[in-house]
Amino acid sequence: DYPSRLQPLTGAAPILYYFGEADLNNPRSISVVGTREMSSNGARQVDRLLDPLTDFSPLIVSGLAYGVDIYAHRRCLQVGLPTLPVTGSGFDRIYPHAHQKTARKMAENGGGVLTASPFWMKPDKDHFPARNRIVAMQSDLTVVVESAARGGSMITARMAHELGRKVGACPGRGGDPLTEGCNQLIKSGR
């Protein structure tokens, strides 16, 4: 049951841990990532992105972090899209702790939870780049909703680009630190 999008890729985790109902080999898989300091405009962008997709039932992948990630997961629950958080910790220590109930709700409502960390593994800053790589690998398209010039979502976008996957970014106002990374992605053509 190893996800087919990860099988041919060098550097994919040899063992993954999963619980839930989502089809990890859904024909359509999109990651939605962004800043932890999401604005109300970022929330509107997520709504505009996800709401029209309900007829296509893509698997929506993100990292369960504060901000854009958790908002996207929760929006999926509201509109009935399967959603998959990839965590940087084991199931016994889902991080952030405040999102444990949402993770369980996703797994019970057509989604799931995926990690490369064993059950007991605590969250550690060194685990999150690997989590971001799995998010990029598991998706055909990575969309950055809001992001500063540096951060986890930009790392995920770079990894997706290096894997030959499509990357999208929501444009923002010039000079706005919350959209500087998105604007850089658009400007560079990545």
Side-chain angles (χ1 to χ4, degrees):
D1 295 332
Y2 195 87
S4 60
R5 284 177 181 83
L6 277 67
Q7 285 177 353
L9 299 176
T10 304
I15 298 173
L16 294 172
Y17 303 89
Y18 172 74
F19 75 88
E21 301 173 2
D23 177 6
L24 298 180
N25 296 313
N26 186 315
R28 298 175 189 95
S29 184
I30 301 169
S31 61
V32 178
V33 298
T35 181
R36 293 172 190 243
E37 306 295 328
M38 184 181 69
S39 71
S40 58
N41 187 51
R44 283 191 301 275
Q45 294 282 27
V46 171
D47 294 350
R48 283 186 209 129
L49 174 69
L50 296 180
D51 292 5
L53 297 178
T54 57
D55 290 342
F56 303 100
S57 294
L59 179 63
I60 305 299
V61 182
S62 199
L64 199 65
Y66 288 102
V68 171
D69 292 18
I70 192 65
Y71 185 85
H73 290 308
R74 289 178 175 152
R75 187 64 182 182
C76 287
L77 287 170
Q78 290 173 346
V79 300
L81 286 171
T83 185
L84 178 74
V86 180
T87 69
S89 59
F91 296 140
D92 190 41
R93 315 231 179 197
I94 289 180
Y95 178 84
H97 182 75
H99 299 162
Q100 284 185 340
K101 286 182 183 176
T102 303
R104 209 162 289 295
K105 204 181 276 187
M106 287 184 271
E108 294 167 356
N109 289 283
V113 180
L114 182 68
T115 184
S117 300
F119 186 79
W120 62 88
M121 187 76 66
K122 294 179 183 179
D124 185 272
K125 67 178 182 166
D126 294 336
H127 300 167
F128 292 99
R131 182 234 13 217
N132 295 348
R133 186 165 175 79
I134 293 170
V135 169
M137 289 176 162
Q138 182 59 30
S139 306
D140 304 313
L141 166 66
T142 296
V143 179
V144 183
V145 174
E146 283 185 325
S147 179
R150 297 183 61 188
S153 55
M154 294 299 286
I155 292 169
T156 305
R158 180 181 47 80
M159 289 174 173
H161 181 73
E162 289 170 357
L163 292 166
R165 304 292 168 84
K166 294 177 183 173
V167 176
C170 297
R173 293 182 315 218
D176 182 349
L178 283 180
T179 59
E180 188 177 359
C182 295
N183 291 340
Q184 282 180 4
L185 288 170
I186 293 167
K187 183 178 178 182
S188 71
R190 290 187 173 181

